[in-house]
Amino acid sequence: MTGARHADRLLRHAVQGGEVTLAHLLPPARGIEHDAFRGDGSIEVGDMRIVKGEVAVFADADEREVDRRGQQPAAVTAHHFIEVRGIALDAADRARMHALHKVVLDPIAETGGVPGGNPDVFVQLEGVDPVPIDVRQPREHADHFQLGIAGADHDACLATAASPFTLKTGLDLRRMDRDIRDHNRSRYNFVGPDGSNAATSTDDFAGPYNLVDEGFYRGGRTEYGEPWLQYPDNYKLYDLFVAHPEYGFFPSANVVFNLTQNLLLRASYAKTINRPNLDQIIPG
Amino acid sequence: MTVTDPNTTNTNNLLITVNNTALNPWTSENTDLALEYYFGKTGGNVISVGGFRKDIKDFSATRREDATPELLESFGLDDSYAAYDVQYRFNAGDARVAGIEFNYRQSLTFLPHWARGLDVFYNKNQQRLQGTTLADFSNFVRRSDNYGFTFSRPKFTLRVKVNDIGRQRRNLITGTNMSPSTYRWRAPRRAVDIDFEYRIRRGISVFVAGRNVIDAPSRHEEVYGIGTPEYSRPNAYWLHGINYVMGFKGSF
């Protein structure tokens, strides 16, 4: 636990602009078994990455195999660690650290075949500029629904039909926020040792992965490089009305005419909306 | 964005799949009108007929097309992907679905005493699609019929239900050696479900539920277009067999 707290403090310290030197770091854990590694997060500063993670140490290979199958091994100890990758810390790097504070996750830990990932085999996509993260901004992870419904029933007799009928109508106001902007995220493509891109690499693990920020990570599935979304304002009510007035009003009415005791005539009208699924509009 | 392996031997499937973040929701205006007549001593018998219409705007569909230099540039890819296709969803346009529904349910109380407790039902749905890009309604079912009966006695209940689904057109198929207007079709399908429950005593019963008891293919697909001979139409069968569930029910 001490190691974990230290790692969290260190990450927070670096993100808030503090200087991180080798003296802050825990002794790096080496010889990590791939199956046992779980990356918690990392800081990327220029070409350097500081990886925080957890490593399980097994008594023998059989227990490691038990863990790989998703079962609880008989004996395992967990160690938190921080590891520096990329380049050595020197004065120039420390200066860049002050200029570029960017938190990224480390999905490569599980997917790249290298514990903690290997920045040497990742290249940033051209033309995609990473956006510096303001870690103080609130992060929200889900759709918001604010729903208000007003309804009214009315039983009346039509003078012409001389039969009772029921009129149901109402107003349905709802606010549904969804943000799909591709911000706070740097996109990387995995490349093979030969430097080729994901599409031409012969490496078994070749494929596009996204490195995403800490806010995306919470609750997300970083092992697949999936981003975890934020939702500021893409479909907020006011913007929605301005951009698409037709999306803001969904009237409905349902009328039942009792023509005789045994014969009913039903008529209804409703306007509905169907939004795309998230997996159809996630940038990437 | 997903890019298929360029080293694949299947060069007909070099594909770049892109998510369209500008995809708009689609809206629909739905209008229904139905006439229902209730009859019989208890008023539990009903016959009804209705019509509906859905005017759909901006429905979304999938498009697959050759990669152009402009498209590739917009995705940050170079000309080495020129042989690829690009697939993405887009707002395809407007469409209208209109149809009629018929529903009938009656207890056959006029039968002899030994046949008491017999109810029959039948409902039918027939609809028509009109729009700019008909192929994009890949799950559109033109005709659907349900019919059957329920036989109820104090000691047992037997329910038999038949579901007929008409031919269903799915996605457009293009490529080498494909005739124009070649689509994937789902062949008509009939499924029969049977439920039987026997009440041993008050609060305790045993039941059997059979699904697809005539062992029809759960899915039978054909691919054909103009001039496709009959023998080359079958494409795929899914055979999932018959499913039975048996058990006890108790309420104490």
Short mmCIF file of all heavy atoms in Angstrom, two decimals, chain A residues 9 16 49 55 62 72 76 118 138 148 186 199 216 253 262 278:
data_model
loop_
_atom_site.label_atom_id
_atom_site.label_comp_id
_atom_site.label_asym_id
_atom_site.label_seq_id
_atom_site.Cartn_x
_atom_site.Cartn_y
_atom_site.Cartn_z
N ARG A 9 0.73 9.83 -5.25
CA ARG A 9 1.23 11.17 -4.91
C ARG A 9 2.15 11.67 -6.00
O ARG A 9 2.13 12.84 -6.38
CB ARG A 9 1.97 11.12 -3.57
CG ARG A 9 1.06 11.25 -2.35
CD ARG A 9 1.83 11.69 -1.14
NE ARG A 9 2.94 10.80 -0.83
CZ ARG A 9 2.84 9.72 -0.08
NH1 ARG A 9 1.68 9.40 0.44
NH2 ARG A 9 3.88 8.96 0.14
N GLN A 16 0.39 18.23 -11.55
CA GLN A 16 0.15 19.60 -11.10
C GLN A 16 1.34 20.51 -11.37
O GLN A 16 1.36 21.66 -10.93
CB GLN A 16 -0.19 19.58 -9.60
CG GLN A 16 -1.55 18.95 -9.33
CD GLN A 16 -1.79 18.71 -7.87
OE1 GLN A 16 -0.87 18.85 -7.06
NE2 GLN A 16 -3.01 18.36 -7.51
N ARG A 49 8.28 8.35 -20.58
CA ARG A 49 7.04 7.92 -19.97
C ARG A 49 7.34 7.34 -18.60
O ARG A 49 8.28 6.56 -18.44
CB ARG A 49 6.33 6.87 -20.83
CG ARG A 49 5.93 7.42 -22.17
CD ARG A 49 5.39 6.37 -23.07
NE ARG A 49 4.09 5.91 -22.61
CZ ARG A 49 3.81 4.64 -22.37
NH1 ARG A 49 4.72 3.72 -22.53
NH2 ARG A 49 2.62 4.29 -21.98
N VAL A 55 2.41 -5.34 -10.07
CA VAL A 55 2.91 -6.60 -10.57
C VAL A 55 2.63 -7.69 -9.53
O VAL A 55 2.78 -7.49 -8.33
CB VAL A 55 4.41 -6.52 -10.89
CG1 VAL A 55 5.22 -6.16 -9.67
CG2 VAL A 55 4.89 -7.81 -11.51
N ASP A 62 3.21 -22.78 -12.26
CA ASP A 62 1.88 -23.38 -12.23
C ASP A 62 0.85 -22.39 -11.69
O ASP A 62 -0.27 -22.28 -12.20
CB ASP A 62 1.88 -24.64 -11.37
CG ASP A 62 2.64 -25.77 -12.05
OD1 ASP A 62 2.83 -25.68 -13.28
OD2 ASP A 62 3.04 -26.71 -11.35
N GLN A 72 -8.22 -17.97 -8.95
CA GLN A 72 -7.42 -17.39 -7.87
C GLN A 72 -6.22 -18.29 -7.58
O GLN A 72 -6.37 -19.44 -7.22
CB GLN A 72 -8.29 -17.26 -6.62
CG GLN A 72 -7.64 -16.50 -5.50
CD GLN A 72 -7.45 -15.04 -5.83
OE1 GLN A 72 -8.23 -14.44 -6.52
NE2 GLN A 72 -6.34 -14.47 -5.36
N VAL A 76 0.10 -15.35 -4.05
CA VAL A 76 0.51 -14.25 -4.91
C VAL A 76 0.72 -13.01 -4.02
O VAL A 76 0.00 -12.78 -3.07
CB VAL A 76 -0.55 -13.97 -6.00
CG1 VAL A 76 -1.89 -13.63 -5.39
CG2 VAL A 76 -0.09 -12.86 -6.92
N ASN A 118 5.97 -0.61 -24.65
CA ASN A 118 7.30 -0.25 -25.14
C ASN A 118 7.15 0.93 -26.09
O ASN A 118 6.70 0.76 -27.21
CB ASN A 118 7.93 -1.44 -25.85
CG ASN A 118 9.33 -1.14 -26.31
OD1 ASN A 118 9.79 0.01 -26.24
ND2 ASN A 118 10.01 -2.15 -26.77
N PRO A 138 -13.95 19.02 -14.60
CA PRO A 138 -14.77 17.88 -14.16
C PRO A 138 -14.89 16.85 -15.26
O PRO A 138 -14.96 17.18 -16.44
CB PRO A 138 -16.13 18.53 -13.86
CG PRO A 138 -16.13 19.77 -14.67
CD PRO A 138 -14.72 20.25 -14.73
N GLY A 148 -38.86 15.31 -18.19
CA GLY A 148 -40.07 15.83 -17.59
C GLY A 148 -41.24 15.54 -18.50
O GLY A 148 -41.16 15.75 -19.69
N SER A 186 -4.47 11.30 -27.16
CA SER A 186 -3.46 11.23 -28.20
C SER A 186 -3.62 9.88 -28.88
O SER A 186 -3.80 8.86 -28.23
CB SER A 186 -2.07 11.32 -27.59
OG SER A 186 -1.93 12.55 -26.93
N ALA A 199 -0.88 -1.24 -40.48
CA ALA A 199 -1.49 -1.95 -41.59
C ALA A 199 -0.52 -2.88 -42.30
O ALA A 199 -0.93 -3.86 -42.91
CB ALA A 199 -2.06 -0.95 -42.60
N PHE A 216 -10.44 9.06 -18.80
CA PHE A 216 -11.05 8.04 -19.65
C PHE A 216 -10.88 6.66 -19.03
O PHE A 216 -11.69 5.77 -19.22
CB PHE A 216 -10.41 8.04 -21.03
CG PHE A 216 -10.74 9.23 -21.85
CD1 PHE A 216 -9.82 9.77 -22.71
CD2 PHE A 216 -12.00 9.81 -21.77
CE1 PHE A 216 -10.13 10.88 -23.48
CE2 PHE A 216 -12.31 10.91 -22.52
CZ PHE A 216 -11.38 11.45 -23.37
N ALA A 253 -50.15 11.97 -29.39
CA ALA A 253 -51.56 12.02 -28.99
C ALA A 253 -52.18 10.66 -29.24
O ALA A 253 -51.79 9.95 -30.16
CB ALA A 253 -52.30 13.09 -29.79
N ASN A 262 -69.43 -1.92 -28.06
CA ASN A 262 -68.49 -2.97 -28.44
C ASN A 262 -67.48 -2.54 -29.48
O ASN A 262 -66.60 -3.33 -29.82
CB ASN A 262 -69.25 -4.18 -29.01
CG ASN A 262 -70.08 -4.87 -27.95
OD1 ASN A 262 -69.81 -4.72 -26.77
ND2 ASN A 262 -71.10 -5.58 -28.38
N LEU A 278 -23.52 4.42 -29.31
CA LEU A 278 -22.22 5.03 -29.04
C LEU A 278 -21.12 4.42 -29.90
O LEU A 278 -20.24 5.12 -30.39
CB LEU A 278 -21.87 4.86 -27.56
CG LEU A 278 -22.29 6.00 -26.64
CD1 LEU A 278 -21.85 5.70 -25.23
CD2 LEU A 278 -21.68 7.31 -27.10
#
